[in-house]
Amino acid sequence: METITDENQVGDLVENKVIGSFKLVNSKINFVGRNNILVCDSNINFLNATLTFQGDNSVVYLRSDLGDAFRLLIYNNSSFYVGRHSLFGAGISVNVNECQNVIIGDDCILSNQLHIFSSDYCSIYDCESKSRKNHSRSVYIGDHVWLGRFSHISRGVKIGSGAIIGDESFVLPNSRISSNTLSYGNPSRIVDRDVFFIKDFVASFRPTETLESQHYKSDVFIFNFVEKETFNIDAVDKALSNLHVESRMNFIKKLFVKSKHINRFYIG
């Protein structure tokens, strides 16, 4: 087992690798397994955070800070990616299990105390056929998505760019949430369509700012399907899952980091 509690300990790693710059404040990175890669793009700050690589051959690629008291548990042959300019609240936990991937795009809001899981942890079987029913599945969260406080994102969930998930919502396994929709509830359901949000914090608005906020002129947060631009998410996930750890890191960099397509995570 290899543990980092200080940036200067990166050079002591033997069986795992950290690429890029970061700062740890009351935080630690645990490598229980081997041949894992952590990429910190844009000088990532960790505050009261714990990242644990519980298995082998996994990639964590970070382009945004993860918020206070973030917890990540990632197992074998898995990937966790966070795009740029995404805002994380406090007490968020992410579990990437059973060789799956959790992908979070650019410009998202992940509110306090939300949970993301790629599995149910224990297997469920049909009584007659004895076949497994609850297969683990990757989670994909597009660009400019807002996940509300205390929400739970289950295995196999795919959320299109521009979608909003309300506070305390439970998104059922294998749900596909269309772009520019608003969902609420336990279980969550779409309650409004053709909507978008902007990241201005309205709580401190003065009367003039509230008046100005009644209309928004730009279409920049309205997403659409564009041929040769919008991802086939299932195909992307299959490609990720079939790659060795170094190749997977390069694939993530090519597809998610270098891609500038606005409508890449559109879901209709």
Side-chain angles (χ1 to χ4, degrees):
M1 178 173 175
E2 299 178 321
T3 298
I4 296 176
T5 56
D6 183 273
E7 304 90 273
N8 297 320
Q9 295 172 328
V10 169
D12 298 332
L13 294 174
V14 175
E15 296 186 320
N16 299 280
K17 184 187 299 185
V18 176
I19 299 171
S21 58
F22 63 95
K23 183 177 181 180
L24 296 175
V25 178
N26 191 32
S27 301
K28 60 182 177 180
I29 303 168
N30 299 314
F31 294 97
V32 180
R34 59 185 299 275
N35 201 34
N36 298 290
I37 302 175
L38 169 62
V39 181
C40 295
D41 193 349
S42 304
N43 193 26
I44 300 300
N45 295 294
F46 298 100
L47 176 62
N48 303 314
T50 302
L51 278 65
T52 302
F53 292 79
Q54 192 65 40
D56 306 329
N57 305 310
S58 287
V59 176
V60 173
Y61 202 122
L62 305 176
R63 304 190 73 203
S64 297
D65 294 342
L66 298 176
D68 188 8
F70 181 86
R71 297 290 181 269
L72 171 68
L73 185 60
I74 184 167
Y75 287 84
N76 299 290
N77 303 93
S78 299
S79 306
F80 176 57
Y81 171 82
V82 175
R84 61 178 182 168
H85 306 314
S86 286
L87 301 176
F88 283 65
I92 294 171
S93 65
V94 177
N95 286 41
V96 194
N97 310 322
E98 201 176 3
C99 307
Q100 301 300 315
N101 309 296
V102 172
I103 306 298
I104 300 170
D106 296 342
D107 198 41
C108 293
I109 299 175
L110 286 81
S111 304
N112 295 346
Q113 302 294 330
L114 79 90
H115 298 84
I116 301 173
F117 289 83
S118 69
S119 79
D120 294 335
Y121 269 105
C122 294
S123 300
I124 300 173
Y125 294 90
D126 181 87
C127 289
E128 183 175 345
S129 68
K130 306 300 188 295
S131 297
R132 185 174 173 183
K133 297 178 70 69
N134 64 333
H135 300 284
S136 297
R137 293 286 186 269
S138 296
V139 174
Y140 282 77
I141 297 165
D143 298 320
H144 195 69
V145 170
W146 181 4
L147 303 180
R149 297 172 301 165
F150 304 101
S151 57
H152 181 99
I153 310 301
S154 306
R155 57 183 171 86
V157 168
K158 296 176 176 62
I159 302 176
S161 295
I164 306 163
I165 307 296
D167 293 348
E168 302 184 21
S169 294
F170 185 95
V171 184
L172 289 171
N174 302 313
S175 297
R176 291 179 71 92
I177 310 299
S178 299
S179 294
N180 295 115
T181 59
L182 171 61
S183 298
Y184 271 106
N186 183 1
S188 68
R189 63 183 182 86
I190 294 176
V191 298
D192 205 355
R193 296 180 181 272
D194 299 320
V195 297
F196 66 90
F197 72 95
I198 62 172
K199 292 167 77 173
D200 293 352
F201 183 60
V202 302
S204 61
F205 276 8
R206 297 177 176 85
T208 54
E209 293 168 314
T210 296
L211 184 63
E212 291 170 356
S213 73
Q214 299 310 300
H215 295 281
Y216 194 77
K217 296 180 180 180
S218 174
D219 292 335
V220 66
F221 300 121
I222 300 174
F223 299 92
N224 297 282
F225 174 82
V226 177
E227 189 73 35
K228 297 183 179 180
E229 178 176 326
T230 300
F231 291 153
N232 179 331
I233 294 178
D234 294 331
V236 168
D237 192 62
K238 183 177 180 180
L240 267 176
S241 298
N242 288 331
L243 292 172
H244 185 267
V245 61
E246 292 275 356
S247 298
R248 199 174 336 123
M249 178 189 68
N250 292 328
F251 183 84
I252 288 171
K253 185 174 183 179
K254 179 180 179 180
L255 197 65
F256 302 138
V257 176
K258 293 185 177 181
S259 169
K260 307 300 181 185
H261 295 315
I262 302 245
N263 295 290
R264 58 185 182 167
F265 287 110
Y266 171 81
I267 295 178

